[in-house]
Amino acid sequence: MADSYDDRDGFIWLNGELVPWRDANVHILTHAMHYGSSVFEGERAYSGKIFKGRQHSERLVESGRLLDMEIPYSLDEIDGAKAETMAANGMKDCYVRPIAWRSSGTDMGVAARANKVCMAIATWEWGAYYGDAKMKGAALDISRWKRPSPETIPCRAKASGLYMICTISKHEAENKGCSDSMMMDYRGYVAEATGANVFFVKGNEVHTPLPDSFLNGITRQTVIQLLREFDVTIHERHIRPEEMEGFEQCWLTGTAAEVTPVEKIGGYAFDTGDLTRKIASAYEELVRS
């Protein structure tokens, strides 16, 4: 079993300095721990290069802005810190986790503008997010929780607090022997898995949920561009759950998930067809180019 994430060798970049991994700590009264005032990114480096690293840095800063939390580092400084952390840990193929949060300070209520915004970057080796499902196809439960209306949450922010119902959903799915859970949105349309976007194939065309109440993933955008380069017709639209019965193929996309085929969602079954394999292969080639 891998070492606990708080007990490893290596370094974490914390507020401008590399500190020993085990010393990268925060106080128990950190605002983010009590009120969820935290944003983060998930990135992968291949052969020493973070795929779309600048785009991830831009989204991190924008997520902070959406939470009224200005990140005190420029895009160049964030990109440099990621490279510095990878080098300090001697990693070229790894997962990269930048995170920014409101720290402890003179405020300890809902409002916390007086508290410093901190930032850290960690890197670690991480294989396939869904394990052997990357090859044989993932099995998904259907969550009882729904992605909220954009009038109730800042859905375009990659904010830690928004993942609470995702954690519950994934735990419930794992208890049923599934890899993940598919979530509907507040209107009942198909939305996304707990940490990945979803694509469906019918005939020679691809259908994917319109990201109007959940994060428009960077990997999702990349795959849509690949599909367009292959002259595949793609429909970004609202998808009713019962439509899944008529889809033939399905895959998930995300920085951690990369491109992972899906064999079933609840009672709906899918094949890992030629287009799924083609997109997975093209994405693998692109991130390593």
Side-chain angles (χ1 to χ4, degrees), residues 179-217:
S179 299
D180 204 346
S181 192
M182 182 58 57
M183 305 181 78
M184 306 300 148
D185 71 12
Y186 64 103
R187 297 158 296 196
Y189 296 125
V190 176
E192 60 176 348
T194 62
N197 295 125
V198 64
F199 290 77
F200 299 99
V201 180
K202 185 174 184 178
N204 296 318
E205 299 184 350
V206 171
H207 303 256
T208 189
L210 188 69
D212 58 359
S213 64
F214 56 88
L215 204 64
N216 182 11

PDB file of all heavy atoms in Angstrom, residues 179-217:
ATOM      1  N   SER A 179     -16.893   1.749 -10.199  1.00  0.00           N
ATOM      2  CA  SER A 179     -15.732   2.641 -10.179  1.00  0.00           C
ATOM      3  C   SER A 179     -16.100   4.072  -9.843  1.00  0.00           C
ATOM      4  O   SER A 179     -15.301   4.818  -9.279  1.00  0.00           O
ATOM      5  CB  SER A 179     -15.035   2.623 -11.549  1.00  0.00           C
ATOM      6  OG  SER A 179     -14.581   1.339 -11.879  1.00  0.00           O
ATOM      7  N   ASP A 180     -17.316   4.472 -10.226  1.00  0.00           N
ATOM      8  CA  ASP A 180     -17.702   5.872 -10.077  1.00  0.00           C
ATOM      9  C   ASP A 180     -19.219   5.968 -10.161  1.00  0.00           C
ATOM     10  O   ASP A 180     -19.907   4.953 -10.257  1.00  0.00           O
ATOM     11  CB  ASP A 180     -17.044   6.725 -11.169  1.00  0.00           C
ATOM     12  CG  ASP A 180     -16.897   8.192 -10.779  1.00  0.00           C
ATOM     13  OD1 ASP A 180     -17.530   8.614  -9.785  1.00  0.00           O
ATOM     14  OD2 ASP A 180     -16.166   8.917 -11.467  1.00  0.00           O
ATOM     15  N   SER A 181     -19.709   7.192 -10.149  1.00  0.00           N
ATOM     16  CA  SER A 181     -21.143   7.428 -10.198  1.00  0.00           C
ATOM     17  C   SER A 181     -21.451   8.515 -11.216  1.00  0.00           C
ATOM     18  O   SER A 181     -20.725   9.510 -11.309  1.00  0.00           O
ATOM     19  CB  SER A 181     -21.656   7.846  -8.814  1.00  0.00           C
ATOM     20  OG  SER A 181     -23.058   7.815  -8.769  1.00  0.00           O
ATOM     21  N   MET A 182     -22.510   8.327 -11.987  1.00  0.00           N
ATOM     22  CA  MET A 182     -22.972   9.344 -12.924  1.00  0.00           C
ATOM     23  C   MET A 182     -23.972  10.237 -12.213  1.00  0.00           C
ATOM     24  O   MET A 182     -24.887   9.750 -11.539  1.00  0.00           O
ATOM     25  CB  MET A 182     -23.619   8.687 -14.148  1.00  0.00           C
ATOM     26  CG  MET A 182     -24.100   9.658 -15.203  1.00  0.00           C
ATOM     27  SD  MET A 182     -22.790  10.739 -15.846  1.00  0.00           S
ATOM     28  CE  MET A 182     -21.616   9.512 -16.446  1.00  0.00           C
ATOM     29  N   MET A 183     -23.797  11.546 -12.370  1.00  0.00           N
ATOM     30  CA  MET A 183     -24.670  12.504 -11.710  1.00  0.00           C
ATOM     31  C   MET A 183     -25.557  13.194 -12.732  1.00  0.00           C
ATOM     32  O   MET A 183     -25.114  13.505 -13.842  1.00  0.00           O
ATOM     33  CB  MET A 183     -23.840  13.533 -10.946  1.00  0.00           C
ATOM     34  CG  MET A 183     -22.870  12.911  -9.952  1.00  0.00           C
ATOM     35  SD  MET A 183     -21.922  14.141  -9.025  1.00  0.00           S
ATOM     36  CE  MET A 183     -23.180  14.654  -7.839  1.00  0.00           C
ATOM     37  N   MET A 184     -26.780  13.422 -12.379  1.00  0.00           N
ATOM     38  CA  MET A 184     -27.680  14.231 -13.186  1.00  0.00           C
ATOM     39  C   MET A 184     -27.568  15.686 -12.716  1.00  0.00           C
ATOM     40  O   MET A 184     -27.048  15.960 -11.640  1.00  0.00           O
ATOM     41  CB  MET A 184     -29.123  13.747 -13.052  1.00  0.00           C
ATOM     42  CG  MET A 184     -29.303  12.267 -13.357  1.00  0.00           C
ATOM     43  SD  MET A 184     -28.805  11.825 -15.029  1.00  0.00           S
ATOM     44  CE  MET A 184     -28.209  10.147 -14.776  1.00  0.00           C
ATOM     45  N   ASP A 185     -28.089  16.615 -13.523  1.00  0.00           N
ATOM     46  CA  ASP A 185     -28.104  17.991 -13.060  1.00  0.00           C
ATOM     47  C   ASP A 185     -29.430  18.289 -12.361  1.00  0.00           C
ATOM     48  O   ASP A 185     -30.283  17.406 -12.227  1.00  0.00           O
ATOM     49  CB  ASP A 185     -27.797  18.972 -14.203  1.00  0.00           C
ATOM     50  CG  ASP A 185     -28.924  19.098 -15.222  1.00  0.00           C
ATOM     51  OD1 ASP A 185     -30.046  18.612 -14.968  1.00  0.00           O
ATOM     52  OD2 ASP A 185     -28.685  19.698 -16.293  1.00  0.00           O
ATOM     53  N   TYR A 186     -29.593  19.517 -11.929  1.00  0.00           N
ATOM     54  CA  TYR A 186     -30.766  19.889 -11.134  1.00  0.00           C
ATOM     55  C   TYR A 186     -32.075  19.768 -11.905  1.00  0.00           C
ATOM     56  O   TYR A 186     -33.147  19.693 -11.319  1.00  0.00           O
ATOM     57  CB  TYR A 186     -30.613  21.323 -10.612  1.00  0.00           C
ATOM     58  CG  TYR A 186     -30.566  22.382 -11.692  1.00  0.00           C
ATOM     59  CD1 TYR A 186     -31.681  23.177 -11.974  1.00  0.00           C
ATOM     60  CD2 TYR A 186     -29.410  22.591 -12.448  1.00  0.00           C
ATOM     61  CE1 TYR A 186     -31.643  24.144 -12.964  1.00  0.00           C
ATOM     62  CE2 TYR A 186     -29.371  23.559 -13.440  1.00  0.00           C
ATOM     63  CZ  TYR A 186     -30.479  24.332 -13.694  1.00  0.00           C
ATOM     64  OH  TYR A 186     -30.435  25.289 -14.680  1.00  0.00           O
ATOM     65  N   ARG A 187     -31.996  19.677 -13.247  1.00  0.00           N
ATOM     66  CA  ARG A 187     -33.193  19.519 -14.078  1.00  0.00           C
ATOM     67  C   ARG A 187     -33.475  18.065 -14.419  1.00  0.00           C
ATOM     68  O   ARG A 187     -34.494  17.746 -15.009  1.00  0.00           O
ATOM     69  CB  ARG A 187     -33.025  20.320 -15.383  1.00  0.00           C
ATOM     70  CG  ARG A 187     -32.899  21.812 -15.167  1.00  0.00           C
ATOM     71  CD  ARG A 187     -32.226  22.502 -16.341  1.00  0.00           C
ATOM     72  NE  ARG A 187     -30.844  22.037 -16.506  1.00  0.00           N
ATOM     73  CZ  ARG A 187     -29.921  22.667 -17.230  1.00  0.00           C
ATOM     74  NH1 ARG A 187     -30.253  23.775 -17.879  1.00  0.00           N
ATOM     75  NH2 ARG A 187     -28.705  22.198 -17.326  1.00  0.00           N
ATOM     76  N   GLY A 188     -32.508  17.184 -14.062  1.00  0.00           N
ATOM     77  CA  GLY A 188     -32.675  15.771 -14.373  1.00  0.00           C
ATOM     78  C   GLY A 188     -31.942  15.310 -15.608  1.00  0.00           C
ATOM     79  O   GLY A 188     -32.010  14.131 -15.971  1.00  0.00           O
ATOM     80  N   TYR A 189     -31.197  16.204 -16.279  1.00  0.00           N
ATOM     81  CA  TYR A 189     -30.399  15.813 -17.432  1.00  0.00           C
ATOM     82  C   TYR A 189     -29.094  15.148 -16.982  1.00  0.00           C
ATOM     83  O   TYR A 189     -28.586  15.405 -15.886  1.00  0.00           O
ATOM     84  CB  TYR A 189     -30.056  17.025 -18.291  1.00  0.00           C
ATOM     85  CG  TYR A 189     -31.236  17.718 -18.931  1.00  0.00           C
ATOM     86  CD1 TYR A 189     -31.454  19.079 -18.747  1.00  0.00           C
ATOM     87  CD2 TYR A 189     -32.133  17.012 -19.737  1.00  0.00           C
ATOM     88  CE1 TYR A 189     -32.534  19.728 -19.337  1.00  0.00           C
ATOM     89  CE2 TYR A 189     -33.214  17.649 -20.330  1.00  0.00           C
ATOM     90  CZ  TYR A 189     -33.416  19.002 -20.125  1.00  0.00           C
ATOM     91  OH  TYR A 189     -34.488  19.640 -20.700  1.00  0.00           O
ATOM     92  N   VAL A 190     -28.515  14.317 -17.865  1.00  0.00           N
ATOM     93  CA  VAL A 190     -27.211  13.716 -17.600  1.00  0.00           C
ATOM     94  C   VAL A 190     -26.176  14.836 -17.487  1.00  0.00           C
ATOM     95  O   VAL A 190     -26.126  15.737 -18.339  1.00  0.00           O
ATOM     96  CB  VAL A 190     -26.813  12.741 -18.726  1.00  0.00           C
ATOM     97  CG1 VAL A 190     -25.413  12.190 -18.482  1.00  0.00           C
ATOM     98  CG2 VAL A 190     -27.824  11.598 -18.825  1.00  0.00           C
ATOM     99  N   ALA A 191     -25.354  14.795 -16.447  1.00  0.00           N
ATOM    100  CA  ALA A 191     -24.361  15.856 -16.238  1.00  0.00           C
ATOM    101  C   ALA A 191     -22.930  15.331 -16.407  1.00  0.00           C
ATOM    102  O   ALA A 191     -22.300  15.538 -17.436  1.00  0.00           O
ATOM    103  CB  ALA A 191     -24.541  16.492 -14.860  1.00  0.00           C
ATOM    104  N   GLU A 192     -22.437  14.634 -15.418  1.00  0.00           N
ATOM    105  CA  GLU A 192     -21.031  14.204 -15.411  1.00  0.00           C
ATOM    106  C   GLU A 192     -20.847  13.142 -14.348  1.00  0.00           C
ATOM    107  O   GLU A 192     -21.715  12.930 -13.498  1.00  0.00           O
ATOM    108  CB  GLU A 192     -20.126  15.398 -15.103  1.00  0.00           C
ATOM    109  CG  GLU A 192     -20.430  16.030 -13.745  1.00  0.00           C
ATOM    110  CD  GLU A 192     -19.492  17.161 -13.364  1.00  0.00           C
ATOM    111  OE1 GLU A 192     -18.452  17.333 -14.030  1.00  0.00           O
ATOM    112  OE2 GLU A 192     -19.786  17.862 -12.383  1.00  0.00           O
ATOM    113  N   ALA A 193     -19.676  12.487 -14.373  1.00  0.00           N
ATOM    114  CA  ALA A 193     -19.292  11.623 -13.264  1.00  0.00           C
ATOM    115  C   ALA A 193     -18.763  12.508 -12.135  1.00  0.00           C
ATOM    116  O   ALA A 193     -18.743  13.736 -12.244  1.00  0.00           O
ATOM    117  CB  ALA A 193     -18.241  10.615 -13.725  1.00  0.00           C
ATOM    118  N   THR A 194     -18.327  11.909 -11.036  1.00  0.00           N
ATOM    119  CA  THR A 194     -17.939  12.715  -9.881  1.00  0.00           C
ATOM    120  C   THR A 194     -16.688  13.541 -10.120  1.00  0.00           C
ATOM    121  O   THR A 194     -16.470  14.549  -9.453  1.00  0.00           O
ATOM    122  CB  THR A 194     -17.725  11.827  -8.650  1.00  0.00           C
ATOM    123  OG1 THR A 194     -16.650  10.909  -8.901  1.00  0.00           O
ATOM    124  CG2 THR A 194     -18.997  11.047  -8.309  1.00  0.00           C
ATOM    125  N   GLY A 195     -15.853  13.126 -11.068  1.00  0.00           N
ATOM    126  CA  GLY A 195     -14.647  13.898 -11.356  1.00  0.00           C
ATOM    127  C   GLY A 195     -14.252  13.815 -12.816  1.00  0.00           C
ATOM    128  O   GLY A 195     -13.075  13.953 -13.148  1.00  0.00           O
ATOM    129  N   ALA A 196     -15.221  13.565 -13.691  1.00  0.00           N
ATOM    130  CA  ALA A 196     -14.919  13.413 -15.112  1.00  0.00           C
ATOM    131  C   ALA A 196     -16.149  13.737 -15.947  1.00  0.00           C
ATOM    132  O   ALA A 196     -17.284  13.514 -15.515  1.00  0.00           O
ATOM    133  CB  ALA A 196     -14.455  11.986 -15.412  1.00  0.00           C
ATOM    134  N   ASN A 197     -15.921  14.266 -17.138  1.00  0.00           N
ATOM    135  CA  ASN A 197     -17.002  14.520 -18.084  1.00  0.00           C
ATOM    136  C   ASN A 197     -17.305  13.257 -18.877  1.00  0.00           C
ATOM    137  O   ASN A 197     -16.505  12.317 -18.890  1.00  0.00           O
ATOM    138  CB  ASN A 197     -16.615  15.654 -19.036  1.00  0.00           C
ATOM    139  CG  ASN A 197     -16.446  16.987 -18.324  1.00  0.00           C
ATOM    140  OD1 ASN A 197     -15.407  17.634 -18.419  1.00  0.00           O
ATOM    141  ND2 ASN A 197     -17.466  17.418 -17.597  1.00  0.00           N
ATOM    142  N   VAL A 198     -18.463  13.230 -19.565  1.00  0.00           N
ATOM    143  CA  VAL A 198     -18.906  12.010 -20.236  1.00  0.00           C
ATOM    144  C   VAL A 198     -19.258  12.291 -21.691  1.00  0.00           C
ATOM    145  O   VAL A 198     -19.760  13.368 -22.034  1.00  0.00           O
ATOM    146  CB  VAL A 198     -20.111  11.373 -19.494  1.00  0.00           C
ATOM    147  CG1 VAL A 198     -21.331  12.304 -19.529  1.00  0.00           C
ATOM    148  CG2 VAL A 198     -20.446   9.996 -20.044  1.00  0.00           C
ATOM    149  N   PHE A 199     -18.971  11.312 -22.544  1.00  0.00           N
ATOM    150  CA  PHE A 199     -19.294  11.346 -23.962  1.00  0.00           C
ATOM    151  C   PHE A 199     -20.019  10.063 -24.344  1.00  0.00           C
ATOM    152  O   PHE A 199     -19.702   8.987 -23.816  1.00  0.00           O
ATOM    153  CB  PHE A 199     -18.023  11.462 -24.816  1.00  0.00           C
ATOM    154  CG  PHE A 199     -17.323  12.790 -24.737  1.00  0.00           C
ATOM    155  CD1 PHE A 199     -16.543  13.104 -23.635  1.00  0.00           C
ATOM    156  CD2 PHE A 199     -17.427  13.704 -25.765  1.00  0.00           C
ATOM    157  CE1 PHE A 199     -15.880  14.324 -23.563  1.00  0.00           C
ATOM    158  CE2 PHE A 199     -16.764  14.930 -25.697  1.00  0.00           C
ATOM    159  CZ  PHE A 199     -15.995  15.245 -24.600  1.00  0.00           C
ATOM    160  N   PHE A 200     -20.961  10.166 -25.287  1.00  0.00           N
ATOM    161  CA  PHE A 200     -21.691   9.012 -25.786  1.00  0.00           C
ATOM    162  C   PHE A 200     -21.582   8.962 -27.309  1.00  0.00           C
ATOM    163  O   PHE A 200     -21.439   9.998 -27.966  1.00  0.00           O
ATOM    164  CB  PHE A 200     -23.171   9.097 -25.404  1.00  0.00           C
ATOM    165  CG  PHE A 200     -23.439   9.133 -23.927  1.00  0.00           C
ATOM    166  CD1 PHE A 200     -23.684  10.345 -23.291  1.00  0.00           C
ATOM    167  CD2 PHE A 200     -23.450   7.965 -23.175  1.00  0.00           C
ATOM    168  CE1 PHE A 200     -23.953  10.391 -21.927  1.00  0.00           C
ATOM    169  CE2 PHE A 200     -23.700   8.003 -21.810  1.00  0.00           C
ATOM    170  CZ  PHE A 200     -23.952   9.210 -21.184  1.00  0.00           C
ATOM    171  N   VAL A 201     -21.677   7.748 -27.859  1.00  0.00           N
ATOM    172  CA  VAL A 201     -21.633   7.555 -29.302  1.00  0.00           C
ATOM    173  C   VAL A 201     -22.898   6.851 -29.761  1.00  0.00           C
ATOM    174  O   VAL A 201     -23.328   5.861 -29.153  1.00  0.00           O
ATOM    175  CB  VAL A 201     -20.406   6.716 -29.724  1.00  0.00           C
ATOM    176  CG1 VAL A 201     -20.393   6.521 -31.249  1.00  0.00           C
ATOM    177  CG2 VAL A 201     -19.117   7.370 -29.260  1.00  0.00           C
ATOM    178  N   LYS A 202     -23.489   7.386 -30.831  1.00  0.00           N
ATOM    179  CA  LYS A 202     -24.633   6.745 -31.481  1.00  0.00           C
ATOM    180  C   LYS A 202     -24.421   6.844 -32.975  1.00  0.00           C
ATOM    181  O   LYS A 202     -24.336   7.942 -33.528  1.00  0.00           O
ATOM    182  CB  LYS A 202     -25.943   7.424 -31.079  1.00  0.00           C
ATOM    183  CG  LYS A 202     -27.176   6.718 -31.625  1.00  0.00           C
ATOM    184  CD  LYS A 202     -28.453   7.349 -31.072  1.00  0.00           C
ATOM    185  CE  LYS A 202     -29.683   6.578 -31.541  1.00  0.00           C
ATOM    186  NZ  LYS A 202     -30.937   7.164 -30.971  1.00  0.00           N
ATOM    187  N   GLY A 203     -24.295   5.685 -33.628  1.00  0.00           N
ATOM    188  CA  GLY A 203     -23.946   5.699 -35.038  1.00  0.00           C
ATOM    189  C   GLY A 203     -22.551   6.250 -35.215  1.00  0.00           C
ATOM    190  O   GLY A 203     -21.603   5.792 -34.580  1.00  0.00           O
ATOM    191  N   ASN A 204     -22.433   7.266 -36.047  1.00  0.00           N
ATOM    192  CA  ASN A 204     -21.126   7.898 -36.263  1.00  0.00           C
ATOM    193  C   ASN A 204     -21.041   9.276 -35.618  1.00  0.00           C
ATOM    194  O   ASN A 204     -20.165  10.065 -35.971  1.00  0.00           O
ATOM    195  CB  ASN A 204     -20.860   8.023 -37.777  1.00  0.00           C
ATOM    196  CG  ASN A 204     -20.760   6.677 -38.457  1.00  0.00           C
ATOM    197  OD1 ASN A 204     -20.136   5.757 -37.922  1.00  0.00           O
ATOM    198  ND2 ASN A 204     -21.386   6.547 -39.621  1.00  0.00           N
ATOM    199  N   GLU A 205     -21.950   9.545 -34.673  1.00  0.00           N
ATOM    200  CA  GLU A 205     -21.983  10.861 -34.055  1.00  0.00           C
ATOM    201  C   GLU A 205     -21.797  10.766 -32.539  1.00  0.00           C
ATOM    202  O   GLU A 205     -22.118   9.744 -31.929  1.00  0.00           O
ATOM    203  CB  GLU A 205     -23.304  11.566 -34.395  1.00  0.00           C
ATOM    204  CG  GLU A 205     -23.489  11.769 -35.893  1.00  0.00           C
ATOM    205  CD  GLU A 205     -24.745  12.544 -36.239  1.00  0.00           C
ATOM    206  OE1 GLU A 205     -25.594  12.774 -35.335  1.00  0.00           O
ATOM    207  OE2 GLU A 205     -24.885  12.943 -37.412  1.00  0.00           O
ATOM    208  N   VAL A 206     -21.285  11.847 -31.965  1.00  0.00           N
ATOM    209  CA  VAL A 206     -20.985  11.895 -30.529  1.00  0.00           C
ATOM    210  C   VAL A 206     -21.911  12.905 -29.860  1.00  0.00           C
ATOM    211  O   VAL A 206     -22.195  13.982 -30.409  1.00  0.00           O
ATOM    212  CB  VAL A 206     -19.508  12.280 -30.296  1.00  0.00           C
ATOM    213  CG1 VAL A 206     -19.235  12.548 -28.825  1.00  0.00           C
ATOM    214  CG2 VAL A 206     -18.599  11.175 -30.809  1.00  0.00           C
ATOM    215  N   HIS A 207     -22.363  12.561 -28.674  1.00  0.00           N
ATOM    216  CA  HIS A 207     -23.235  13.424 -27.877  1.00  0.00           C
ATOM    217  C   HIS A 207     -22.588  13.606 -26.500  1.00  0.00           C
ATOM    218  O   HIS A 207     -22.119  12.633 -25.891  1.00  0.00           O
ATOM    219  CB  HIS A 207     -24.614  12.787 -27.717  1.00  0.00           C
ATOM    220  CG  HIS A 207     -25.287  12.480 -29.022  1.00  0.00           C
ATOM    221  ND1 HIS A 207     -26.314  13.242 -29.534  1.00  0.00           N
ATOM    222  CD2 HIS A 207     -25.053  11.484 -29.927  1.00  0.00           C
ATOM    223  CE1 HIS A 207     -26.702  12.730 -30.690  1.00  0.00           C
ATOM    224  NE2 HIS A 207     -25.951  11.660 -30.959  1.00  0.00           N
ATOM    225  N   THR A 208     -22.568  14.821 -26.023  1.00  0.00           N
ATOM    226  CA  THR A 208     -21.999  15.107 -24.703  1.00  0.00           C
ATOM    227  C   THR A 208     -22.829  16.177 -24.018  1.00  0.00           C
ATOM    228  O   THR A 208     -23.331  17.100 -24.679  1.00  0.00           O
ATOM    229  CB  THR A 208     -20.517  15.530 -24.813  1.00  0.00           C
ATOM    230  OG1 THR A 208     -19.927  15.602 -23.511  1.00  0.00           O
ATOM    231  CG2 THR A 208     -20.369  16.882 -25.496  1.00  0.00           C
ATOM    232  N   PRO A 209     -23.037  16.080 -22.709  1.00  0.00           N
ATOM    233  CA  PRO A 209     -23.867  17.069 -22.007  1.00  0.00           C
ATOM    234  C   PRO A 209     -23.333  18.495 -22.136  1.00  0.00           C
ATOM    235  O   PRO A 209     -22.121  18.719 -22.128  1.00  0.00           O
ATOM    236  CB  PRO A 209     -23.826  16.596 -20.552  1.00  0.00           C
ATOM    237  CG  PRO A 209     -23.573  15.120 -20.649  1.00  0.00           C
ATOM    238  CD  PRO A 209     -22.642  14.968 -21.822  1.00  0.00           C
ATOM    239  N   LEU A 210     -24.238  19.427 -22.252  1.00  0.00           N
ATOM    240  CA  LEU A 210     -23.890  20.843 -22.297  1.00  0.00           C
ATOM    241  C   LEU A 210     -23.435  21.273 -20.903  1.00  0.00           C
ATOM    242  O   LEU A 210     -24.179  21.123 -19.929  1.00  0.00           O
ATOM    243  CB  LEU A 210     -25.114  21.653 -22.733  1.00  0.00           C
ATOM    244  CG  LEU A 210     -24.914  23.129 -23.027  1.00  0.00           C
ATOM    245  CD1 LEU A 210     -24.073  23.311 -24.286  1.00  0.00           C
ATOM    246  CD2 LEU A 210     -26.266  23.808 -23.189  1.00  0.00           C
ATOM    247  N   PRO A 211     -22.228  21.834 -20.769  1.00  0.00           N
ATOM    248  CA  PRO A 211     -21.703  22.165 -19.439  1.00  0.00           C
ATOM    249  C   PRO A 211     -22.217  23.500 -18.907  1.00  0.00           C
ATOM    250  O   PRO A 211     -21.453  24.445 -18.697  1.00  0.00           O
ATOM    251  CB  PRO A 211     -20.192  22.192 -19.669  1.00  0.00           C
ATOM    252  CG  PRO A 211     -20.049  22.684 -21.070  1.00  0.00           C
ATOM    253  CD  PRO A 211     -21.225  22.091 -21.829  1.00  0.00           C
ATOM    254  N   ASP A 212     -23.528  23.560 -18.682  1.00  0.00           N
ATOM    255  CA  ASP A 212     -24.100  24.805 -18.179  1.00  0.00           C
ATOM    256  C   ASP A 212     -24.377  24.758 -16.676  1.00  0.00           C
ATOM    257  O   ASP A 212     -24.877  25.726 -16.106  1.00  0.00           O
ATOM    258  CB  ASP A 212     -25.371  25.164 -18.945  1.00  0.00           C
ATOM    259  CG  ASP A 212     -26.445  24.090 -18.878  1.00  0.00           C
ATOM    260  OD1 ASP A 212     -26.219  23.037 -18.253  1.00  0.00           O
ATOM    261  OD2 ASP A 212     -27.530  24.301 -19.464  1.00  0.00           O
ATOM    262  N   SER A 213     -24.052  23.638 -16.029  1.00  0.00           N
ATOM    263  CA  SER A 213     -24.209  23.554 -14.572  1.00  0.00           C
ATOM    264  C   SER A 213     -23.062  22.779 -13.931  1.00  0.00           C
ATOM    265  O   SER A 213     -23.137  22.409 -12.768  1.00  0.00           O
ATOM    266  CB  SER A 213     -25.546  22.894 -14.210  1.00  0.00           C
ATOM    267  OG  SER A 213     -25.572  21.551 -14.663  1.00  0.00           O
ATOM    268  N   PHE A 214     -22.019  22.534 -14.712  1.00  0.00           N
ATOM    269  CA  PHE A 214     -20.847  21.821 -14.184  1.00  0.00           C
ATOM    270  C   PHE A 214     -19.620  22.280 -14.956  1.00  0.00           C
ATOM    271  O   PHE A 214     -19.720  22.992 -15.956  1.00  0.00           O
ATOM    272  CB  PHE A 214     -21.021  20.299 -14.265  1.00  0.00           C
ATOM    273  CG  PHE A 214     -21.317  19.791 -15.654  1.00  0.00           C
ATOM    274  CD1 PHE A 214     -20.295  19.468 -16.527  1.00  0.00           C
ATOM    275  CD2 PHE A 214     -22.626  19.647 -16.094  1.00  0.00           C
ATOM    276  CE1 PHE A 214     -20.553  19.005 -17.808  1.00  0.00           C
ATOM    277  CE2 PHE A 214     -22.912  19.187 -17.369  1.00  0.00           C
ATOM    278  CZ  PHE A 214     -21.871  18.868 -18.232  1.00  0.00           C
ATOM    279  N   LEU A 215     -18.452  21.859 -14.485  1.00  0.00           N
ATOM    280  CA  LEU A 215     -17.177  22.333 -15.030  1.00  0.00           C
ATOM    281  C   LEU A 215     -16.955  21.827 -16.464  1.00  0.00           C
ATOM    282  O   LEU A 215     -17.116  20.640 -16.741  1.00  0.00           O
ATOM    283  CB  LEU A 215     -16.039  21.861 -14.126  1.00  0.00           C
ATOM    284  CG  LEU A 215     -14.742  22.649 -14.151  1.00  0.00           C
ATOM    285  CD1 LEU A 215     -14.973  24.073 -13.628  1.00  0.00           C
ATOM    286  CD2 LEU A 215     -13.692  21.952 -13.287  1.00  0.00           C
ATOM    287  N   ASN A 216     -16.606  22.746 -17.337  1.00  0.00           N
ATOM    288  CA  ASN A 216     -16.245  22.401 -18.709  1.00  0.00           C
ATOM    289  C   ASN A 216     -14.780  21.997 -18.702  1.00  0.00           C
ATOM    290  O   ASN A 216     -13.879  22.816 -18.850  1.00  0.00           O
ATOM    291  CB  ASN A 216     -16.479  23.610 -19.627  1.00  0.00           C
ATOM    292  CG  ASN A 216     -16.167  23.310 -21.073  1.00  0.00           C
ATOM    293  OD1 ASN A 216     -15.965  22.160 -21.457  1.00  0.00           O
ATOM    294  ND2 ASN A 216     -16.110  24.345 -21.890  1.00  0.00           N
ATOM    295  N   GLY A 217     -14.527  20.709 -18.520  1.00  0.00           N
ATOM    296  CA  GLY A 217     -13.176  20.225 -18.282  1.00  0.00           C
ATOM    297  C   GLY A 217     -12.205  20.543 -19.405  1.00  0.00           C
ATOM    298  O   GLY A 217     -12.567  20.585 -20.586  1.00  0.00           O
TER     299      GLY A 217
END
